[in-house]
Amino acid sequence: AKDYELRQYETAKWVSTVIRGEPQKEAMRQGFWKLFHYIQGKNEKEMKIDMTVPVTCLIKSGCADFKISFFVPYEHQDSPPQPTDSDVFIEERKAAAIFVRSFGGFASPEKYAEEAEALARILRNRGQPFHEDFFYTAGYDSPFKLFNRHNEVWYFKK
């Protein structure tokens, strides 16, 4: 469809952290730095790992907890080094069909919410069943990239 796409993602490992009781923007900042320290060597092997994209954030309806995640690079998928920070963990996300809506610019929590609502409305109108109680935000750019930025919101297909 012109206003969204349906992607099939394979099972993969992500390194994640959950930030509780902070506004989304602050949770993203704190979570990003915890995960950045992990890839900079704050792990059992003291190994530097390449930064990957996207950086995702799980948003659950009516919940003030935010799960921020980095994709584990392909060369580390089989055995990612274990985090040494007790707030950071490796998770395996199962293969899934995901509805994706892309947009440009600098994404604020408000913009992500607006785009998620637009995607939800489109999916409902087209009779596409999806998990409505949560969505992911996905950011692909460094904060220093000013133009041609790429952001997404993801709903999982039922």
Side-chain angles (χ1 to χ4, degrees), residues 9-16 38-39 44-45 47-54 69-82 89-95:
Y9 281 97
E10 298 309 312
T11 298
K13 292 190 178 84
W14 295 70
V15 58
S16 302
Y38 166 82
I39 67 171
E44 66 180 10
K45 296 181 183 165
M47 180 190 291
K48 276 192 171 239
I49 299 169
D50 289 337
M51 176 77 201
T52 60
V53 292
S69 307
F70 288 3
F71 179 76
V72 173
Y74 293 109
E75 62 267 26
H76 300 291
Q77 279 287 318
D78 290 339
S79 60
Q82 287 304 304
F89 57 94
I90 303 295
E91 66 168 325
E92 184 170 272
R93 293 189 195 165
K94 299 292 176 217

Side-chain angles (χ1 to χ4, degrees), residues 9-118:
Y9 281 97
E10 298 309 312
T11 298
K13 292 190 178 84
W14 295 70
V15 58
S16 302
T17 188
V18 176
I19 306 295
R20 294 179 170 82
E22 295 287 350
Q24 184 179 340
K25 194 170 185 170
E26 177 59 17
M28 281 294 294
R29 190 189 68 75
Q30 287 182 23
F32 177 90
W33 285 109
K34 281 185 177 289
L35 299 174
F36 187 76
H37 291 130
Y38 166 82
I39 67 171
Q40 288 297 300
K42 196 172 179 184
N43 56 64
E44 66 180 10
K45 296 181 183 165
E46 296 183 357
M47 180 190 291
K48 276 192 171 239
I49 299 169
D50 289 337
M51 176 77 201
T52 60
V53 292
V55 175
T56 65
C57 180
L58 173 61
I59 312 283
K60 292 185 204 163
S61 300
C63 181
D65 297 354
F66 300 97
K67 182 170 67 178
I68 295 89
S69 307
F70 288 3
F71 179 76
V72 173
Y74 293 109
E75 62 267 26
H76 300 291
Q77 279 287 318
D78 290 339
S79 60
Q82 287 304 304
T84 52
D85 179 339
S86 61
D87 292 338
V88 176
F89 57 94
I90 303 295
E91 66 168 325
E92 184 170 272
R93 293 189 195 165
K94 299 292 176 217
I98 300 176
F99 293 108
V100 179
R101 180 173 170 88
S102 301
F103 61 98
F106 280 90
S108 63
E110 297 74 22
K111 181 67 174 161
Y112 276 125
E114 188 182 300
E115 293 292 335
E117 185 45 52

Side-chain angles (χ1 to χ4, degrees), residues 5 10 21 26 41 46 100 120 126 144 148-149:
E5 58 185 297
E10 298 309 312
E26 177 59 17
E46 296 183 357
V100 179
R126 302 215 172 126
F144 306 108
N148 300 317
R149 295 179 61 80

